[in-house]
Amino acid sequence: MQPCSDDLRQRIVQACNAGLAHRAVARRFLVRLSFVEKLLPRRRTTGTIAARPHTEGRLRAPRRRTRPAREPGRGGRRGAAKARPHEALDDAVTAALAAITPDDARGWFRHCGYPVG
């Protein structure tokens, strides 16, 4: 994200000095309200409205592992489904499809925005 230009910052300060509310200034110049609210005190304390130099971001301490290592064969998720033989999977899919009624299918397509007669 690019910093706001010095010209834009100057126009924001001038609008605030002219008596416009911070919220109106933010709307007028299409910036965040928090930007306007932080810019004015910064000008008072430091005497400048120029953008600060970019830093590489904050340094973070390495994260400690709080949970034990993942159990093998579970895919790293608790309660993850285990692999099934092809026949068992075929039976499960057949049972799931048999449970869907025509009204269920119509309702789903209607929900998705498809015209259903």
Side-chain angles (χ1 to χ4, degrees):
M1 184 176 207
Q2 294 282 331
C4 293
S5 68
D6 288 341
D7 175 56
L8 177 61
R9 291 166 186 263
Q10 189 64 41
R11 287 186 286 151
I12 289 171
V13 170
Q14 287 172 351
C16 288
N17 289 343
L20 279 171
H22 292 181
R23 196 173 300 273
V25 171
R27 251 188 252 121
R28 179 178 181 182
F29 294 107
L30 302 175
V31 295
R32 292 186 182 263
L33 175 61
S34 62
F35 175 72
V36 176
E37 291 173 341
K38 291 175 185 176
L39 182 64
L40 299 174
R42 184 163 171 234
R43 179 175 178 248
R44 273 184 249 126
T45 57
T46 65
T48 182
I49 56 171
R52 291 182 289 191
H54 179 70
T55 60
E56 292 299 319
R58 95 176 204 225
L59 297 175
R60 296 183 178 165
R63 291 178 55 186
R64 292 187 189 175
R65 189 172 210 128
T66 56
R67 285 190 271 172
R70 296 178 175 149
E71 295 178 30
R74 293 206 43 185
R77 298 186 319 248
R78 293 184 183 174
K82 294 184 180 176
R84 302 179 191 184
H86 186 272
E87 295 80 22
L89 179 62
D90 192 35
D91 292 342
V93 169
T94 302
L97 289 174
I100 299 172
T101 66
D103 285 339
D104 291 336
R106 241 189 293 347
W108 172 252
F109 284 109
R110 197 173 295 124
H111 167 77
C112 292
Y114 292 103
V116 179

